[in-house]
Amino acid sequence: MNGSSASAGLRGRRIAGYLLGEEIGRGGMAVVYQAEDLRLGRTVALKLLAPELARNDTFRQRFAHESRVAAAIDHPHIVPVFEAGETDGLLYIAMRYVRGHDLRALLDHEGRLPLATTCRIAVQVASALDAAHAHDLVHRDVKPGNVLIAEGTDSDRPEHVYLTDFGLTKKSLSLTGFTSVGQFVGTLDYVAPEQISGRPVDGRCDVYGLACVAYEMLTGAPPFRRDDDMALLWAHQYDPPPPPSGLRPELAPAVDAVFARALAKAPEERYESCRGFVAALRTAGRSTAAGPGARPAPTRVDVPAAGPQRGTAHGPAPPPPPRWARPVFPGT
């Protein structure tokens, strides 16, 4: 972060009762350290926010409120928040330190995942997101790097998934999707159209983000791939998502229909909950598991089209994409 340089390179320093260890993460507005809680003798993940944020009174008030809400959520798939506060001009958040790796590392190592594994991971993330939505918290940045994977309990549950980096600061930075310093809140590969256009967001923007992540787990890449950021933003807002069966022909047509709905441009056309999306994906996956010979013929699914031609209820269709906004990969 521009202001993160002030909080970088702090290994060995003591911050609010925490002894900082190695840096384990870095983003646009924060740095995360492995740290020792000197009061309770436990290892935590300590997130230090950019110093300029602490100087904004409105941000500090929202940060305090959202931190209390997040800390009050007791859910097995949300990284617990132990403490949040301010010291020496720095805002900090102390969270459980999860031993393991994130989904980004898993995908980089394994490539695309089986449908069963995708659903097993996705349902845990979905459960965490729906729990947050019940407390009026929207994540806004669902991506593989924010999905932590620890060792599971048995062969039926080989991994335990945690969702981290909740919207403690994202809503405070902006209620519309953009920060006060002009930075976009959210990762472009997984960002919902309403975040891009600055419209109000609710839990259905996380349905879109989770669907993008699940799509990548299944196919090895996010649904939209373009050669620059502006083209990618255009694709999220106007281009229909390519069916995952185009990259994995063994997937049943019903799987394509599930993603068409979850990645709809208008929030009201998506699933109402994240678990609703994963439940539909699991059901569609049973057609895939039955094998190609057992596939039912494609049937009409009551899913609004996800591309520019959405009907007159949404106004006239947008113009065809300019050359710079066209897919950079054939078939995408």
Side-chain angles (χ1 to χ4, degrees), residues 10 13-20 46 48 87-88 90 92:
L10 297 179
R13 290 278 301 277
R14 178 171 174 168
I15 302 289
Y18 299 95
L19 182 64
L20 301 187
L46 191 72
L48 303 179
T87 182
D88 298 327
L90 283 176
Y92 66 90

Side-chain angles (χ1 to χ4, degrees), residues 21-26 31-35 44-46 97:
E22 64 177 323
E23 181 182 314
I24 57 176
R26 176 179 289 267
V31 178
V32 182
Y33 288 89
Q34 180 180 336
V44 303
L46 191 72
Y97 177 71

Side-chain angles (χ1 to χ4, degrees), residues 292-331:
R295 285 189 185 184
T299 57
R300 182 181 181 275
V301 179
D302 189 18
V303 178
Q309 308 295 329
R310 293 204 306 266
T312 56
H314 296 283
R323 182 179 301 275
W324 53 262
R326 294 174 185 167
V328 68
F329 298 102

Side-chain angles (χ1 to χ4, degrees), residues 41-82:
R42 62 182 172 184
T43 299
V44 303
L46 191 72
K47 181 177 183 178
L48 303 179
L49 305 186
E52 61 263 28
L53 298 178
R55 295 193 288 268
N56 185 304
D57 289 338
T58 300
F59 179 88
R60 289 167 60 205
Q61 292 171 5
R62 289 177 176 167
F63 169 79
H65 169 71
E66 292 166 24
S67 298
R68 286 194 295 269
V69 173
I73 302 177
D74 182 13
H75 191 276
H77 298 295
I78 294 178
V79 175
V81 173
F82 296 142

Side-chain angles (χ1 to χ4, degrees), residues 132-191:
H133 299 161
H135 287 79
D136 295 322
L137 272 183
V138 181
H139 193 286
R140 292 177 167 81
D141 194 16
V142 181
K143 61 182 180 182
N146 284 334
V147 177
L148 306 182
I149 301 178
E151 185 177 354
T153 57
D154 53 49
S155 59
D156 291 331
R157 291 171 290 272
E159 63 278 307
H160 186 95
V161 174
Y162 293 93
L163 184 63
T164 189
D165 198 23
F166 249 91
L168 298 178
T169 62
K170 295 179 180 67
K171 184 178 179 182
S172 299
L173 286 167
S174 173
L175 299 178
T176 62
F178 291 86
T179 71
S180 59
V181 294
Q183 290 181 306
F184 193 81
V185 177
T187 305
L188 297 189
D189 283 330
Y190 317 96
V191 69

